[in-house]
Amino acid sequence: MSRILTIAKYIILQHLRNLGITLGQMLIFPIVVILILGMALSPAFEERELDPTRVGYLNEDTGVMGGLVDDFLSRGEIAELLEVKAVPSREKGLELLKDGEISALIHIEADYSEQVLAGNKAEIKLTGHPGRQLGVAIVETIMESFTYGGNATYALAAMGSQLEYAPAFGSIEEHTVSASGLKPNAMGYYAVTMLVMMAMYGAIYAAYDMGQNYMEPVGLRVMSTPVRPWEQYAGTVLANLVTVYLQALIIIAFTYFAFDVYWGPNLPLILLIVFVHVTLAVGLGTMAVMLTRDIARASGLLNILVVALTFLAGGYFEVNLPGSFQWGQYLSPNFLAQTALFNTIYGGPRNETLVMLAAMAGIILVTFTVSMLAQRRVVQ
Amino acid sequence: MTVFSYTLKRLLRNKLNLFMILVLTPFFIGIIFSFGSFEKNSITVGLVDQDNTPLTEMLAQSLEETSPVFRLEEGEIRRALARSQADYILVIAPGFSQQLIAGEEPKLRSYSIQETNFASRVQIKVEGFLGAARSLAAAAEGDQTAFYQGLEEYQRGNFVLKSAAFQQQEKSIDASLAGMGMLAMLMMLLSSFTTINLIKDRVNRTFYRVMAAPVPLKNYMLQNILCFFLVLLIQIAVMFLGVHYVFGLYLGPSVLNLYLVMAVFALLCVAMGVALSALARTVQQAGTIASLVITPMSMLSGLYWPRSLMPEILQIIGKYLPPTWLIAAVEKVMLGKPLASASMELAILLGFTAVFFLLGTWRRADIAK
Amino acid sequence: MLVETKNLVKRYGDVLAVDNVNLQIAEGEIFGLLGPNGAGKTTIINMLIGLTKVDGGEIAIFGKKVNGNREDVSSHIGIVPQELAIYNDLTAAENLAFFGKLYGIKGKLLQERVTEALEFTGLSDKRKILPKKFSGGMKRRLNIACAIVHQPKLIIMDEPTVGIDPQSRNHILSSVQELHSQGSTIIYTSHYMEEVEELCTRVAIMDEGRIIAQGNKDELKELVSFEDRIVVEVSTVNFTLVDEIKRIGGVTDCFLAENILTIHMAKNSHIIGRVVDAITGAGTEVVTLSAEKPTLESVFLTLTGKKLRD
């Protein structure tokens, strides 16, 4: 045991000697990035009230139906959602659209009532601004509900009924959940993803130290001492865990105190998840160097891999893979750790957190087993 | 041009560099286009359908006309809201359709985030649909067959909304700008990788040896710079071909102009690399400085997302960073304006280039060190 | 015997890296392992300290089999690897303390041993300096210090002088002798035969995985020096002189090239005086004369037909 501690102590001492790199890559970099991303993207993360969507309205129909559209748009609950601006002509409307003054143009053509009364398809023409997808979708949604009334009236008549259509107001029981405590703001989001990314960079430490053990003369010298191989291995893993985990703790503490990031009600579980993730990173680094048998190549590979895995996991910005590919994100260990952390902080399902932890434990097992097997080939 | 051709050989033999140019650049850009988004462009509806009748199916269809809809279980509601997978979740309890047809007034449950009013948009539509269904149920007087016949009639209705996107003269360049931003970031990365060669040469004394040969320092540096520049030009070309043919990215009315703008930035990247190689003493240091500078700079300059998305203070900081001006120039060129219209932006980029080159040569005087 | 190997074999695929090597090293010796690069010296050393698996044969050190007693045996061995095996991010003293601790030395004794090792290698004033800032020779000395901090009975040095300046080299060679005089047994590998010849009490010569000769220096030289050789530069060329010299009892061969006479003669025949008489008697003068003694180099050349530094 004392030999393991000796090996760990002196490796940590070496980590400290490279303070510039330690501080730069592992602490300053993630903190700066958390700060910038947290600030820059805070609007994108903020849950905000939507202002009414500005919409151009051109009604050329003087008939009954045109009047119904007027009535519909001037109803109280619609007026809250749409800011209707009447335009004198289609050209004028398109101009406003082009300038971005409005998000969409509603156009009722002169023969609208005529078509309806003749039993033909009666179209309300909507022209949307291509860059304002949300606004267009909102106008579409609302105008659809107008067509429901018309069609219902039709259907009622077809059934020979004298009843009148009316929207079913109050037929939805609304429940709201507060976003605070449910999902992170920008700073909270990036504190977690960058913490996870930083821990993954810990793999490079492991690759370097393990590589030194098995591929550099000084590691072979250690092997020539009475130290048992597993003690050397354990000491190195221990040193890496300590260094990377301490850095992770610093980031958690720093973001908590300086950036006011919320880390949830269950700090012990957070610390456990981070520890498991750090172990995973160390395992990954070890595996990389054992397989490549070259420290430089392993760290080059890991550098790229960490960026790619962070991207995939939505570490830099939220990535939404299309439905059938959503499992793809689970390929990134970062995503497993992030899911577990967000669940723990924001009260997500506990059993999912456990599944994530189990999956991470599985990966750890694989990395260390592969490393052991590869190590046997390194030392002949 | 011996230094040039040998440096080029060394750079292109480096698998990591090749990987960066050929695989990583198109890969990242592809991911960004395909799946990344910073701005909301729809209201996603989550549907918990515990009733599963033709009526609820129809409701789902009508929602799908204007919003992405995905189905989930009751237990997943909180999670879906927390992950922003859904903005509005609708729960249809078992027996809902039956009660409605029987003329009762069953209620749906909805879940949404308190701090937003996104949900009310969808709600209006649901209420409209339910209103129609209720009046038809009343007319059918509890007769299920009559109700569904009425509903069919309703669906065939003549009131339709015809929605079209406004055809702009110019194509949308948002995706293209994001693509060029990503390319610019990767160019800076690649350039920091390649210039690390300069430091390696200094560390392993081959630089010393070259200087001992009758090659003037200026000449050596110039050939190196040309070589790095060429590698970046290749990267741009590969990326243009890649994103255009694989991802169908629009490269603006004049690909040549766009290429020229990116080439000016390539020169800046080389200058930054040279400055980096002069300031950093070890390869590791250079790597650390590079990642500490490149990533934050890319973010603040709007390479990852539109600058307008950021708070004002960060936008102001961005003005002092070179890539901001690249994106400004790219935007002009993409919109079909002549190259000359971006001359101020390009001049600023060249100014930065000159400063970096000066920084790079400043510390190189003492070769033996 | 302190170290004894029996029919040691190591294979790498089809290549026999070590081919039935039998070594006997007694306590108090400086044992030289001489051979060109790739002869199998480092492989043997790695097998001695249990770093490389033995494919055949046995090793006993301090009377114990290495296999199964590695920990016990290795705690009394100090190794100076061929390449620098020190941590560049730990100071000289920290490097020594680290390795000392791995050998189980603790506390005050550790401090003393570190100081001694630093003094011994002349690095006392550099104890708190990182080896990054050392010269090549200083790094080599620290490399040695790390091997002696636990005062091992057996010190194995694998090419400790490769690629360093003459001053550091002399320092290392004299420290080997000093360690020897303090009672350590030393195994010294090199492909510099001068070093081995100067230092070692007994030598094994290796080539292509095999020991081709083993013994003390004189014994080895016996192997080749069944004849002595002198080379004489003469002032004028005289062909009858060659025949005349050949007639001297004990001369086995003589030939002339330009004005250089090379004369082979039976060992210890003491006939140089008669040769010189013959030359001056023939009316020529001796310009230079050199008697060539056999060296380990010539031993190697004779046994393998190759030069050591091919």
Side-chain angles (χ1 to χ4, degrees), chain A residues 29 37 47 49-50 119 122 124 126 128 140 144 148 151 168 171 173-175 177-179 183 317 346 352, chain B residues 65 78-79 83-84 108 110 112 114-117 123 125 134 154 157-160 162-164 166 291:
Chain A
F29 180 67
L37 284 172
E47 295 296 346
E49 294 282 319
L50 280 185
I124 294 176
L126 188 75
E140 279 176 354
E144 283 268 350
Y148 293 166
N151 290 328
S171 61
E173 192 183 300
E174 291 173 53
H175 298 261
V177 188
S178 174
K183 53 203 274 186
F317 50 84
Y346 300 103
E352 191 188 37
Chain B
E65 281 167 10
R78 196 186 151 82
R79 184 180 130 164
R83 307 252 166 97
S84 308
L108 296 176
S110 76
S112 57
Q114 195 180 353
E115 285 83 351
T116 72
N117 55 359
Q123 194 164 326
K125 186 169 174 176
R134 272 199 211 165
Y154 160 79
N158 282 332
F159 287 87
V160 288
K162 192 169 177 244
S163 182
F166 176 52
S291 58

Side-chain angles (χ1 to χ4, degrees), chain A residues 17 212 221 223 226-228, chain C residues 70-71 79 89 94 143:
Chain A
R17 288 280 149 72
Q212 188 157 265
R221 169 173 235 156
M223 275 188 213
V227 167
R228 296 187 196 96
Chain C
R70 198 192 75 85
E71 231 177 287
I79 173 140
D89 292 321
E94 282 166 351
N143 198 32

Side-chain angles (χ1 to χ4, degrees), chain B residues 59-232:
Chain B
L59 173 59
Q61 279 171 13
S62 67
L63 285 172
E64 269 166 19
E65 281 167 10
T66 48
S67 302
V69 173
F70 82 104
R71 289 165 191 275
L72 67 166
E73 300 293 322
E74 170 119 45
E76 296 167 345
I77 292 175
R78 196 186 151 82
R79 184 180 130 164
L81 287 175
R83 307 252 166 97
S84 308
Q85 285 166 334
D87 301 296
Y88 183 72
I89 293 173
L90 208 55
V91 182
I92 309 174
F96 174 83
S97 305
Q98 215 169 359
Q99 288 169 19
L100 187 135
I101 295 167
E104 292 167 38
E105 296 197 347
K107 285 196 170 185
L108 296 176
R109 267 181 293 140
S110 76
Y111 292 86
S112 57
I113 296 279
Q114 195 180 353
E115 285 83 351
T116 72
N117 55 359
F118 272 35
S120 47
R121 277 86 183 152
V122 183
Q123 194 164 326
I124 290 228
K125 186 169 174 176
V126 176
E127 285 168 344
F129 179 86
L130 289 181
R134 272 199 211 165
S135 53
L136 291 174
E141 291 169 343
D143 180 347
Q144 189 159 337
T145 324
F147 171 74
Y148 277 113
Q149 275 172 356
L151 210 54
E152 262 174 52
E153 195 65 40
Y154 160 79
Q155 281 205 301
R156 272 200 303 270
N158 282 332
F159 287 87
V160 288
L161 178 72
K162 192 169 177 244
S163 182
F166 176 52
Q167 288 299 318
Q168 273 180 310
Q169 292 302 303
E170 313 91 33
K171 293 195 185 180
S172 165
I173 59 165
D174 292 355
S176 308
L177 281 181
M180 292 306 119
M182 209 27 64
L183 173 62
M185 189 275 286
L186 290 163
M187 281 164 69
M188 289 192 282
L189 262 186
L190 180 67
S191 130
S192 75
F193 278 22
T194 50
T195 44
I196 278 176
N197 272 297
L198 280 177
I199 303 173
K200 274 189 192 155
D201 283 359
R202 209 164 56 212
V203 172
N204 70 18
R205 312 292 269 173
T206 42
F207 177 61
Y208 181 78
R209 167 162 263 160
V210 171
M211 283 303 96
V215 182
L217 174 61
K218 262 187 212 154
N219 200 328
Y220 169 83
M221 286 307 295
L222 200 66
Q223 295 195 34
N224 263 297
I225 286 165
L226 271 179
C227 185
F228 299 153
F229 187 50
L230 182 69
V231 170
L232 288 178

Side-chain angles (χ1 to χ4, degrees), chain C:
Chain C
M1 284 293 137
L2 197 78
V3 177
E4 194 161 14
T5 72
K6 267 185 207 151
N7 303 323
L8 204 54
V9 172
K10 179 69 192 176
R11 279 184 206 91
Y12 290 112
D14 293 339
V15 182
L16 253 183
V18 173
D19 185 359
N20 281 296
V21 164
N22 294 294
L23 290 173
Q24 284 91 34
I25 301 165
E27 191 159 1
E29 280 184 335
I30 303 181
F31 186 86
L33 206 50
L34 181 69
N37 290 327
K41 297 172 303 217
T42 302
T43 307
I44 288 183
I45 285 173
N46 284 342
M47 287 197 284
L48 289 182
I49 54 177
L51 278 189
T52 299
K53 225 170 59 195
V54 175
D55 288 337
E58 278 176 11
I59 305 171
I61 301 181
F62 314 127
K64 289 177 190 153
K65 281 190 182 171
V66 172
N67 193 2
N69 294 304
R70 198 192 75 85
E71 231 177 287
D72 187 11
V73 169
S74 65
S75 61
H76 299 290
I77 301 178
I79 173 140
V80 182
Q82 188 170 341
E83 291 159 297
L84 287 173
I86 48 178
Y87 290 106
N88 279 319
D89 292 321
L90 295 178
T91 64
E94 282 166 351
N95 264 292
L96 291 172
F98 174 66
F99 285 106
K101 279 187 185 177
L102 294 186
Y103 283 99
I105 307 169
K106 288 191 195 101
K108 220 179 147 196
L109 183 65
L110 181 68
Q111 292 310 313
E112 284 170 23
R113 292 283 174 82
V114 168
T115 307
E116 278 171 36
L118 285 169
E119 268 168 22
F120 185 81
T121 48
L123 293 172
S124 294
D125 53 337
K126 303 276 189 260
R127 65 180 299 146
K128 289 195 175 152
I129 311 271
L130 294 178
K132 279 179 196 173
K133 293 165 188 154
F134 280 10
S135 69
M138 278 155 66
K139 285 184 189 173
R140 287 270 159 206
R141 271 139 64 188
L142 180 60
N143 198 32
I144 292 174
C146 288
I148 58 172
V149 67
H150 58 297
Q151 300 192 341
K153 289 187 218 162
L154 174 64
I155 300 168
I156 302 176
M157 298 181 141
D158 192 3
E159 306 258 13
T161 55
V162 167
I164 56 171
D165 59 287
Q167 201 184 340
S168 289
R169 180 175 169 174
N170 287 338
H171 186 104
I172 287 170
L173 294 183
S174 63
S175 56
V176 171
Q177 267 157 343
E178 200 175 330
L179 287 167
H180 177 238
S181 67
Q182 288 169 6
S184 294
T185 306
I186 292 159
I187 300 178
Y188 191 98
T189 84
S190 181
H191 65 274
Y192 297 124
M193 57 99 192
E194 307 89 342
E195 282 180 9
V196 173
E197 200 159 354
E198 181 187 332
L199 280 175
C200 299
T201 49
R202 284 181 70 244
V203 178
I205 299 177
M206 283 197 76
D207 188 44
E208 292 176 1
R210 275 167 314 192
I211 302 271
I212 50 176
Q214 189 171 184
N216 64 34
K217 279 178 274 189
D218 291 335
E219 284 166 355
L220 287 175
K221 285 175 190 168
E222 285 295 323
L223 292 174
V224 278
S225 48
F226 44 85
E227 55 185 25
D228 284 349
R229 200 164 64 145
I230 57 175
V231 179
V232 186
E233 191 185 341
V234 290
S235 57
T236 54
V237 179
N238 183 337
F239 285 97
T240 56
L241 179 61
V242 173
D243 294 328
E244 213 166 298
I245 290 172
K246 278 184 177 170
R247 278 197 291 272
I248 299 171
V251 171
T252 53
D253 198 4
C254 176
F255 45 88
L256 181 71
E258 307 224 356
N259 53 345
I260 306 281
L261 264 174
T262 306
I263 303 146
H264 292 227
M265 59 187 74
K267 205 169 159 61
N268 302 323
S269 45
H270 305 292
I271 51 173
I272 293 177
R274 288 176 60 193
V275 170
V276 173
D277 287 347
I279 292 169
T280 44
T284 23
E285 272 174 42
V286 174
V287 181
T288 64
L289 182 148
S290 63
E292 288 192 349
K293 283 296 220 179
T295 61
L296 289 178
E297 174 82 51
S298 55
V299 174
F300 188 80
L301 187 66
T302 317
L303 293 176
T304 66
K306 310 190 273 203
K307 288 198 167 177
L308 262 171
R309 278 171 227 171
D310 275 351

Side-chain angles (χ1 to χ4, degrees), chain A residues 89-160:
Chain A
S89 69
R90 183 166 180 86
E91 284 65 40
K92 180 73 188 157
L94 291 179
E95 206 172 291
L96 288 176
L97 199 57
K98 193 176 172 188
D99 295 342
E101 286 286 312
I102 53 175
S103 296
L105 175 68
I106 300 169
H107 185 190
I108 315 287
E109 283 165 321
D111 62 346
Y112 186 67
S113 294
E114 213 173 296
Q115 295 290 344
V116 172
L117 296 174
N120 295 330
K121 289 268 180 222
E123 288 177 345
I124 294 176
K125 293 214 159 94
L126 188 75
T127 313
H129 188 290
R132 301 256 181 92
Q133 293 183 41
L134 181 62
V136 176
I138 286 170
V139 178
E140 279 176 354
T141 306
I142 292 169
M143 290 315 290
E144 283 268 350
S145 78
F146 172 79
T147 66
Y148 293 166
N151 290 328
T153 309
Y154 242 96
L156 286 169
M159 289 169 79

Side-chain angles (χ1 to χ4, degrees), chain A residues 40 43, chain B residues 39 300-302 305-312 314-315 331:
Chain B
E39 280 183 288
L300 291 172
S301 318
W305 49 75
R307 276 176 69 230
S308 56
L309 210 66
M310 300 191 291
E312 202 170 337
L314 296 187
Q315 293 190 32
E331 193 169 0

